[in-house]
């Protein structure tokens, strides 16, 4: 380093001393100049900012002139003195001199230096750079004593006075300067801090520690002087102090400054920093010296004492001090308060803290979360597999993933902590637990012409992009440009300090709302820039770019910045020309996110504003990127091309979205103009906007779909590839003639199939295959692989390999088949030499424990493959085998780091997109849990194994992932010395999963391994496999033999089919649970085979239940068997029915066993509770009547039978009373509508028990259950109302005695409030509305009183009224069925929306206790109990769909909502936002194409077809062509992002399929375009109006012949493959699940078709054969459909055959043409 560089940090000390000694010792200056190789004048010029002040002070005019001469730039003395650095240091020195009139003396010295200062006022000099002067003054105060600092303080006072002095003010105004110091610092603190930061953050070789320490002292001095007025710069001050703590020499001073800051600032400024300060001190503690620790402890003590109340109130966000022993005394009180938070609240707090902007806070949060997760994993895992997973899980995962990506560049520690936490949370099934990132978007429709839209865009840009870039900027220059940009952009928005202080002028400020809509943290960052004075001295040099700009030699960042900068220079429009130059200054040296954000907006501005040549250049630029082919083998070029391509995709997405939104806006304007007279907008404006749309359309059409699709595949953006290729297929298909050489449709479908091979969507492949005339062998194999038929594919690859043994692709495909089918031994047998196939064989080696082979494979593994996950797992396991525990941990950490580094913002957009990475984190966590150090022997092995069981369950339907995890577990357990039974348990779990997945060979292999490890219970699994293979007799013999020799006495752990067994308590495990399982399995098989007497089967069921008395499943199946016997007896003629049936003994046995089942778990609650209630209530009714003579005429028989019946009822009531007291209230809550429906039961004893149950449920869950009971009280039936009132009185009485069980709620007050609210809501429903208004007032027009609006009852929504069920049996009693922070009613908004249907239903808005608004539809003159029970039915189907692996993977569901009856004629329906009827969607699309249905003409044509069915061609050739399919356009319009488009279309297809099957089974008709709606946010199907049930449509004047709606528009919107593929598969899955759950379905259905209070069948227009008229006929009809019986047929169809026939009926032109015209079969 040159001498100048070495000495430059010391100039501040050296230069003044040299000047002072110039007269006394001039040789010093000469020697120093000689050392530097310059003259004395040159030395003075070099150090002029340090020497000039003293030369002016000492009046050395000659030396000043020598400096001027040495500079040689032609400047004058005045101009030299006025340079910022020189003026600041000069005034800082002169203003602290002793003088009676410091202003005059300062000006005198300046004028002596140069006569040019003669007419200059000191205030003018000061105002040219006040923060420079303040910086120098504060620095000079750093090394001075108290007396000298007092002079500096006076100088700062004077500086503040002069800065604010105006020309008309006199010097005497300086007397008030003391009050101006705060205002001065408030205005200039950012500028001052930028200088301090520049020094403190400078590299160590650039600035000495002593200089940095002076800056820290200067900051401390500033805080002492300005106190709370430095708050504007707190982020910068804290950043400087935090970076200073990393330097040992600065720590003491940094802590001193910190102490001064927390002591000097106000509470409002300090309290938001407490979490940051705590985190910084805790994490830095180990680096502190003893003195520094004392200082840090003093800071903590001050904060805890002064801000105790704040800390205790916000204990959830305050970091823990417990990790520092010396700070433990402060933690004690905090921890006591923190301990009051439950587990859920703690996780929510961690989630919130992980979203903090400060990296230190996030790091500390993760460090605390990690051990907490280790202790409390069970909460997360149990919730993840529950019926309603707690939202805290996705919320926590979202926060951690975002933190991992956001702080990835800050160092490996954040990534490591995030990955460890994610691993402990586990890889939840994204079909059950999803955490989508909610990205805000903005579209500028006016192209920056409208001021309001432009300001909205600027505010969005500042909040989401610029502020974040400013907060993360690491260099002061970049931060300065961003500060200037924020200042200028706020000016454009007309925002100044008036909005902060809410001055009188600001009350009417047009942008005040916008300012306060910003998050507080953003406002705090922006506030200093509302009146800052940043200036940019140099302009951006304009330069023309040669298009195309893209070149493979340019990096992505360089290309993007160049492209955006060029477009910014071509901005069109006044607003754009004002904004774009500001943006251009922050492109070059800033984060690429700024350029990436700006590109779509500036490109669109040029496309629609500039000439066509400019638009063509942009299209040419995009094409140059998409059509460029990267060089083979150049990974860097490929990655760069991928990034550039994704940028182009981002631009195309925005252009498409703008075009769709603009079209909608234009259509709205035209429609509005059409409804009103007069011109609302000039025709030329409409023409201009139309021309703009055409320009964008032209640009988009110039980019070939083939190019986009091909590049999208290369970038692994498969949804995009599908989107564009499907549009291409539609264009080709719509053309009547293809050009020569153009690909055929079949060739296009084959290409589409290639795209689908890259997606985990096998249904799509099958759909495309259905359109290919002949499948070649490769397509057949592809179908096998995607459908999971690995053995079939394996056979083909084995044949191919025999022919081409050296073909690597065939080897890789064969290995993939062997891996997926679990044939790891076969993988090891192959002679694999190619390095790229090593990961396959490495996995196979550790999976089956061939360690020497593993070591051999790893020894020849090239470096580039060592990053492969399977290779890494193999290396870690090898470390364990070699007892190298440190190496094991090191390898695990290395793999975690690699996976964390692969996470990015796009890959973490959802849990689905990063599923593979989450699984790897999950696997590594388990390896650590199992592979702990050998010396750690005191761990809870049984607890660990139970945790592992739960962790496996969270993977949900991902069977392949479960098998992989189990393989890693077994290998790690084996090397970590776990007992043989634990490994056997893992093998049996593998066997069970393989059996369920259809991999019989893998399952047999796993059973064999378990048997070799001594697991006698492997016999059960072996028997199951035999049964699955159809060897029923052999399976029964095998199981009987094992039971006979008591093979299960020695083994009793979690090889269970049910988690309930493995999680039972220690006392329960003393019973032989496995023998119970085996016996129950045998009973079921004997029952199914029909080869054993009924009594023997009953004994087997009873034996299974007795072997394990606390097992829910045993009792359930015994009760189910008795129920089957009951049904058999019921079907017999009366004279053949047995006495136990007649007396009710059989029914009693069903009820008793179902009750016992409920006592030990809730898995079968929806199968047991409704059924046992029905049996009991029916039996109770029969008990009040004499024995029917049809059973026997003899008096003695009838007396005995009657006495026996009473005895059975007595026993039944004893059991019911026992379990009514024993079972938790939430059990009966699930069937509360069924219970209250029978409240008028004629049997007094039955009613007494019913009443007790109702009282218990409502007392325990009053906020939810009271809605149901109040509807009974308001019943029009006097008896029902009276009995309901009796129940209410009992609840009040019980509450008065203190036995209410409703926690802190005042039940009496709650009931009173609930009754008043219910009365008022009935008034809203029934209130008469005059005329046809759309909006009315709740209070004025409907008489609603807001005084009674607030009520502790929950807002009646599905999420608040649905009870969650326990997933673990032993948690039944302590289970919380409802969240403690449930949403209650705070009030109602006054505006009411009146719907335009016959009964004028009205939508009201409830304000919830969470601050959100919820819509409710008040429906008059409609018995909503039918809708309520149907929602229960659909909810039960949803539960079945969730439990099935294939269904869950496809996210099959029925959209449900809450229905709350208020009495028999009125009620509330949960309002679902964002719905659009199919009719509205289609008619709007047709209007845009100038197509309008002529219903009169259509009626004539349809009547002609009805009169002569042979004229069906009128429908197919005339009517349908008039309405071409357009529904697919709605998905393109609503979901312009390809990923969202693909997801929404699948959701539509599958939800449509589910409801089609369920509707078919229920005979749901009248599915016209108003009764089918679609969710605008997701594309899902939503059905309303369920009045036409049980084939009522067949009784219409024009009978409905279609089983469900499947018109041409609906089919076309499924995709180019139509109803093949996803729709057909979803139909088959749904129907299969309905068949599997037939008993449960019929049980639920039975409860409401036999409900005596509601007519579910309804009146028919006419009697029709095969249309059910009685409840039993309804049940028989539904059962026949579930089993596959078509109308009039007696032979049931298979699931596939049934679905096929139904689809054919639904799309049959003859059936569609026969529909009534209002159904609109042509749409």
């Amino acid at each position: 380093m040159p001498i100048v560089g070495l000495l430059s940090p010391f100039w501040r000390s050296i230069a003044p001393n040299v000047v002072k000694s110039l007269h006394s010792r001039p040789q010093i200056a000469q020697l120093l100049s000689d050392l530097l190789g310059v003259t004395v004048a040159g030395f003075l010029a070099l150090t002029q900012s340090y020497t000039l002040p003293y030369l002016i002070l000492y009046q050395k005019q000659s030396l000043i002139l020598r400096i001027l001469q040495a500079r040689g730039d032609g400047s004058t003395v005045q101009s030299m003195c006025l340079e910022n650095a020189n003026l600041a240091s000069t005034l800082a020195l002169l203003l602290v001199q002793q003088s009676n009139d410091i202003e005059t003396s300062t000006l005198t010295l300046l004028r002596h230096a140069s006569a040019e200062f003669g007419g200059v006022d000191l205030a003018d000099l000061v105002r040219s750079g006040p923060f420079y002067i303040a910086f120098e003054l504060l620095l000079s105060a750093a090394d001075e004593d108290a007396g000298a600092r007092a002079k500096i303080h006076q100088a700062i006072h004077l500086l503040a006075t002069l800065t604010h002095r105006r020309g008309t003010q006199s010097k005497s105004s300086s007397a008030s300067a003391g009050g101006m110091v705060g205002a001065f610092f408030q205005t200039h603190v950012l500028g001052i801090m930028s200088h301090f930061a520049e020094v403190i953050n400078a590299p160590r070789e650039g600035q000495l520690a002593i200089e940095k320490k002076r800056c820290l002292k200067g900051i401390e001095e500033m805080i002492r002087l300005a106190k709370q007025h430095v708050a504007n710069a707190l982020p910068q001050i804290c950043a400087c102090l935090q970076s200073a703590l990393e330097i040992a020499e600065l720590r003491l001073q940094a802590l001193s400054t910190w102490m001064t800051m927390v002591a000097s600032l106000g509470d409002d400024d300090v309290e938001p920093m407490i979490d940051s300060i705590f985190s910084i001190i805790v994490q830095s503690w180990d680096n502190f010296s003893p003195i520094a620790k004392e200082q840090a402890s003093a800071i903590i003590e001050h904060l805890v004492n002064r801000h105790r109340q704040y800390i205790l109130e916000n204990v959830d966000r305050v970091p823990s001090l417990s990790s520092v022993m010396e700070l433990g005394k402060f933690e004690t009180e905090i921890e006591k308060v923190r301990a009051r938070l439950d587990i859920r609240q703690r996780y929510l707090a961690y989630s919130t803290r992980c979203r903090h902007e400060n990296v230190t806070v996030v790091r500390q949060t993760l460090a605390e979360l990690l051990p907490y997760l280790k202790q409390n994993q069970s909460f997360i895992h149990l919730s993840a597999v529950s019926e309603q997973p707690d939202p805290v899980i996705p919320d926590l995962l979202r926060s951690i993933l975002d933190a991992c990506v956001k702080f990835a560049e800050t160092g490996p520690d954040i990534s490591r902590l995030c990955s460890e936490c994610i691993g402990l949370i586990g890889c939840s099934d994204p079909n059950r637990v999803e955490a989508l990132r909610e990205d805000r978007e903005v579209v500028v429709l006016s192209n920056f012409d409208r001021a309001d839209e432009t300001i909205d865009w600027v505010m969005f840009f500042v909040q989401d992009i610029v502020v974040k870039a400013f907060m993360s900027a690491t260099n002061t220059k970049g931060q300065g440009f961003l500060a200037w940009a924020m200042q200028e952009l706020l000016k454009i928005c007309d925002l100044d300090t008036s909005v902060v202080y809410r001055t009188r002028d600001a009350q009417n400020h047009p942008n005040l709302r916008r300012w306060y809509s910003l998050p507080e943290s953003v406002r705090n960052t922006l506030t200093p820039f509302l009146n800052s004075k940043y200036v940019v001295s140099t302009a951006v040099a304009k330069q023309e770019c040669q298009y195309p700009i893209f070149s493979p030699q340019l990096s992505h960042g360089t290309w993007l910045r160049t492209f955006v900068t060029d477009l910014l220079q071509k901005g069109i429009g006044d607003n754009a020309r004002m904004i774009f130059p500001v943006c251009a200054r922050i492109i070059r040296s800033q984060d690429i996110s700024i350029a990436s954000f700006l590109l779509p907006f500036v490109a669109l501005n040029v496309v629609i504003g500039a000439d066509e040549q400019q638009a063509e250049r942009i299209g040419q630029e995009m094409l140059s990127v998409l059509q460029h082919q990267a060089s083979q083998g150049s990974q860097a070029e490929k990655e760069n091309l991928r990034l550039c391509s994704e940028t182009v995709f981002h631009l195309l997405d925005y252009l498409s979205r703008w075009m769709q939104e603009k079209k909608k806006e234009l259509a709205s304007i035209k429609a509005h103009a059409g409804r009103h007279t007069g011109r609302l907008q000039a025709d030329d404006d409409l023409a201009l906007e139309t021309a703009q749309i055409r320009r964008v359309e032209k640009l988009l059409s110039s980019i070939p779909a083939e190019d986009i699709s091909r590049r999208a595949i290369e970038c692994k953006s498969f949804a995009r590839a599908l989107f564009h290729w499907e549009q291409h297929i539609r264009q080709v298909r719509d053309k009547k003639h293809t050009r020569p050489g153009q690909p055929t449709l079949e060739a296009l479908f084959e290409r589409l199939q290639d795209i689908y091979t890259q997606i985990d969507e096998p249904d799509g492949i099958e759909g495309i295959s259905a359109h290919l005339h002949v499948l070649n062998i490769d397509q057949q194999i592809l179908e096998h692989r995607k459908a999971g038929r690995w053995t079939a594919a394996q056979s083909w690859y084995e044949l191919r390999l025999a022919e081409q043994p050296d073909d690597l692709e065939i080897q890789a495909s064969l290995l993939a088949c062997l891996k997926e089918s679990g044939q790891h031994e076969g993988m090891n047998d192959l002679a694999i030499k190619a390095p790229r196939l090593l990961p396959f064989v490495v996995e196979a080696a550790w999976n089956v424990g061939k360690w020497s082979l593993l070591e051999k494979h790893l020894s020849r593994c090239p470096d580039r493959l060592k990053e492969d996950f399977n290779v890494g797992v193999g290396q870690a396991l090898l470390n364990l085998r070699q007892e190298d525990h440190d190496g094991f941990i090191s390898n695990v950490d290395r793999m975690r780091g690699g996976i964390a580094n692969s996470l990015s913002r796009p890959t973490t957009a959802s849990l689905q997109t990063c599923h593979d990475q989450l699984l790897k984190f999950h696997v590594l966590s388990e390896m650590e849990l199992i592979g702990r150090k050998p010396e750690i022997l005191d761990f809870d092995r049984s607890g660990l194994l139970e945790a592992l069981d739960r962790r496996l369950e969270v993977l949900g339907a991902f069977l392949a992932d479960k098998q992989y995890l189990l393989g890693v577990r077994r290998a790690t357990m084996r090397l970590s010395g776990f007992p043989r039974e634990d490994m056997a348990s893992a093998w049996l779990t593998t066997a069970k999963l393989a059996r369920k997945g259809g991999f019989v060979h893998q399952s047999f292999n796993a059973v064999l391994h378990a048997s070799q490890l001594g697991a006698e219970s492997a016999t059960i699994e072996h028997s199951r496999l035999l049964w699955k293979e159809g060897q029923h007799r052999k399976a029964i013999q095998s199981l009987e033999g094992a039971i006979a020799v008591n093979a299960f006495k020695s083994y009793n752990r979690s090889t269970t089919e049910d988690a309930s067994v493995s999680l039972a308590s220690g006392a329960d495990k003393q019973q032989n649970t496995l023998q119970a399982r085996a016996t129950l399995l045998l009973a079921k098989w004997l029952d199914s085979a029909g080869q054993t007497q009924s009594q023997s089967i009953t004994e087997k069921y009873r034996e299974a239940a007795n072997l394990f008395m606390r097992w829910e499943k045993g009792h359930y199946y015994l009760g189910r068997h008795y129920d089957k016997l009951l049904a058999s007896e019921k079907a017999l003629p009366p004279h053949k029915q047995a006495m136990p049936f007649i007396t009710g003994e059989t029914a009693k046995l069903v009820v008793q066993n179902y009750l016992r089942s409920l006592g030990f778990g809730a898995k079968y609650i929806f199968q047991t509770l409704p059924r046992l209630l029905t049996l009991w209530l029916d039996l109770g009714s029969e008990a009040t009547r004499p024995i029917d003579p049809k059973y026997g005429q003899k008096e003695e028989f009838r007396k005995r039978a009657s006495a026996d019946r009473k005895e059975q009822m007595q026993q039944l009531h004893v059991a019911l009373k026992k379990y009514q007291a024993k079972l938790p209230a939430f059990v009966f809550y699930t069937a509360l509508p069924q219970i209250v429906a029978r409240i008028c039961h004629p049997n007094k004893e039955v009613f007494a028990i019913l009443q007790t149950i109702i009282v218990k449920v409502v007392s325990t869950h009053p906020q939810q259950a009271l809605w149901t009971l109040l509807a009974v009280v308001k019943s029009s039936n006097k008896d029902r109302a009276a009995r309901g009132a009796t129940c209410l009185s009992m609840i009040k009485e019980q509450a008065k005695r203190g036995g209410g069980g409703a926690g802190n709620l005042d039940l009496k007050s709650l009931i009173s409030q609930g009754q008043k609210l219910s009365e008022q809501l009935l008034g809203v429903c029934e209130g008469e509305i005059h005329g046809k208004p759309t909006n009315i007032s709740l209070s004025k027009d409907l008489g609603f009183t807001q005084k009674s609006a607030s009520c502790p009852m929950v807002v009646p929504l599905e999420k608040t009224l649905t009870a969650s069920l326990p997933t673990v049996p032993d948690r039944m009693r302590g289970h919380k069925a409802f969240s403690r922070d449930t949403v209650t009613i705070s009030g109602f908004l006054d505006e009411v929306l009146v719907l335009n249907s016959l009964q004028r239903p009205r939508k009201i808005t409830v304000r919830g206790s969470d601050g959100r608004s919820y819509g409710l539809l008040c429906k008059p003159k409609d018995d909503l109990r039918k809708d309520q029970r149907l929602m229960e039915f659909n909810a039960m189907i949803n539960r079945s769909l969730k439990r099935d692996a294939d269904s869950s993977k496809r996210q099959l569901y029925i959209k449900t909502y809450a229905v709350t009856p208020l009495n028999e004629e009125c009620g509330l329906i949960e309002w679902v936002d964002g719905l659009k009827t199919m009719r509205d969607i289609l008619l709007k699309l047709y209007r845009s194409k100038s197509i309008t249905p002529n219903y009169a003409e259509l009626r004539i044509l349809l009547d002609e077809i009805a009169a002569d069915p042979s004229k069906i061609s009128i429908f197919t050739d005339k009517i349908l062509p008039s309405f071409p399919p357009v529904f697919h356009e709605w998905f393109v319009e609503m979901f312009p992002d390809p990923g969202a488009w693909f997801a929404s279309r699948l959701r539509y297809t599958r939800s449509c399929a589910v409801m089609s099957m369920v509707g078919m089974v229920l005979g749901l008709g009248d599915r016209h375009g108003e009764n089918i709606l679609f969710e605008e946010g997701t594309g899902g199907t939503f059905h309303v109006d369920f009045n036409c049930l049980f084939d009522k449509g067949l009784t219409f004047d024009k009978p409905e012949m279609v089983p469900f709606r499947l018109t041409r528009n609906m089919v076309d919107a499924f995709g180019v493959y139509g109803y093949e593929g996803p729709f057909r598969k979803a139909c088959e899955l749904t129907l299969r699940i309905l068949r599997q759950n037939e008993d449960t379905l019929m049980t639920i259905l039975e409860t409401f078709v036999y409900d005596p209070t509601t007519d579910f069948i309804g009146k028919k227009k006419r009697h029709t054969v095969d249309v059910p008229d009685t409840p039993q006929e309804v049940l028989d009809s539904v059962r026949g459909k579930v089993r596959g019986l078509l109308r009039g047929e007696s032979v049931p169809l298979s699931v596939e055959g049934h679905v096929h026939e139904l689809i054919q009926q639904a799309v049959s032109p003859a059936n569609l043409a026969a529909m009534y015209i209002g159904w609109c079969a042509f749409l």
Side-chain angles (χ1 to χ4, degrees), residues 1267 1317-1329 1336-1338 1341-1344 1356 1388 1392-1395 1398-1404 1416-1424 1460-1469:
W1267 282 110
L1317 179 61
S1318 176
E1319 187 73 40
Q1320 291 227 83
L1321 289 172
L1322 277 170
V1324 172
C1325 288
E1326 297 168 343
E1328 188 175 353
I1329 299 174
I1336 59 175
S1337 167
L1338 186 64
D1341 297 310
L1342 296 174
F1344 190 90
F1388 290 80
V1392 178
L1393 174 69
V1394 181
L1395 275 65
L1398 181 63
Q1399 303 301 341
R1400 310 303 303 278
R1402 52 238 44 187
K1403 179 205 172 189
I1404 60 174
L1416 296 175
L1417 186 66
C1418 298
K1419 206 167 182 187
K1421 300 177 183 177
D1422 194 357
D1423 188 354
L1424 293 184
T1460 309
L1462 294 173
N1463 61 15
E1464 290 91 339
E1465 294 184 346
C1466 300
L1468 307 173
I1469 296 177

Side-chain angles (χ1 to χ4, degrees), residues 212-400:
K212 297 185 177 189
K213 192 179 291 185
R214 291 184 76 219
C215 286
L216 291 172
K217 289 181 178 179
I219 295 172
E220 185 173 12
E221 195 65 32
M222 177 178 68
I223 294 170
R224 286 198 191 99
L225 270 172
K227 295 186 169 33
Q228 71 271 18
H229 297 291
V230 301
N232 286 347
L234 280 180
Q236 290 85 345
I237 294 173
C238 291
C240 284
L241 297 181
Q242 190 171 343
S243 62
L245 283 179
E246 298 174 6
I247 304 171
E249 302 97 307
L250 304 182
R251 283 182 191 134
L252 290 178
Q253 183 55 52
L255 289 168
S256 173
T257 305
W258 225 310
M259 184 66 195
T260 301
M261 182 171 67
V262 299
S264 302
L265 297 181
D267 292 351
D268 290 343
D269 295 321
V270 173
E271 286 168 354
M273 296 192 299
I274 287 177
D275 51 356
S276 302
I277 297 171
F278 274 35
S279 299
I280 290 167
I281 288 177
V282 168
Q283 289 178 42
S284 305
W285 188 265
D286 291 339
N287 297 325
F288 288 166
S289 66
I291 299 175
K293 288 180 179 179
E294 289 180 14
Q295 285 184 300
S297 184
I299 295 171
I300 297 292
E301 185 174 11
H302 173 86
L303 291 172
V304 170
N305 291 336
R306 180 168 168 177
H307 304 280
R308 173 177 275 101
Q309 190 62 33
Y310 172 85
I311 290 172
L312 296 180
E313 288 175 359
N314 296 275
V315 71
D316 56 338
R317 57 175 290 186
V318 175
S320 172
L321 303 172
S322 58
S323 60
V324 179
M325 185 177 64
E326 294 92 328
L327 301 178
K329 57 186 177 182
F330 307 119
E331 175 70 10
T332 305
E333 185 178 0
I334 299 172
E335 186 53 39
K336 285 181 183 176
V337 179
R338 192 181 284 123
R340 297 173 193 165
L341 302 175
D342 61 24
I343 296 176
R344 184 179 186 277
Q345 290 171 321
R346 292 287 287 270
Y347 279 131
L348 277 174
Y350 283 126
S351 177
T352 302
R353 289 171 59 195
C354 281
R355 290 193 288 268
H356 203 280
E357 291 293 327
N358 189 298
V359 64
T360 311
V361 173
V362 174
R363 187 185 292 114
Q364 179 63 26
T365 301
L366 293 168
E368 293 174 28
L369 174 59
L370 189 58
Y372 192 78
L373 275 169
K374 290 179 180 177
Q375 296 296 321
N376 298 280
Q377 289 181 64
S378 60
F379 170 86
I380 285 180
H381 300 149
L382 289 172
S383 178
V385 299
S386 66
E387 191 173 312
Q388 294 176 312
D390 197 308
V392 73
I393 305 171
D395 191 55
L396 183 61
L397 274 169
R398 180 76 271 150
S399 297
I400 297 173

